[in-house]
Amino acid sequence: MGAAGHAFADGARTVCHAVWALRADTLSDVRVIAYSKEEYETVQGITAEVRSD
C-alpha cells in the first residue's frame, strides 16, 4: 500500500505524469522515494511507460 490509501503504483504513476508534464531537464530535479526493490522497479517501469506515451 502506498500513501493515503492508494496503491503505490497508482501514486507513482500520478507523480511521474506530473513530473513529465513539468518537463524537468534532469532526474536530479525530482525525487521519487521507493522503500523496497520492488517499489524501485515499479517506478522504473512506470517512468518508461510515461516517457513512451
Side-chain angles (χ1 to χ4, degrees):
M1 185 61 58
H6 297 280
F8 178 81
D10 294 340
R13 188 169 285 103
T14 299
V15 169
C16 288
H17 276 285
V19 168
W20 188 249
L22 292 174
R23 303 290 188 222
D25 292 329
T26 67
L27 289 180
S28 64
D29 294 338
V30 178
R31 297 287 186 267
V32 176
I33 299 171
Y35 292 103
S36 68
K37 181 179 178 180
E38 291 80 16
E39 287 181 353
Y40 179 79
E41 291 170 351
T42 297
V43 170
Q44 282 187 316
I46 291 169
T47 301
E49 290 173 17
V50 169
R51 286 181 175 173
S52 67
D53 284 349

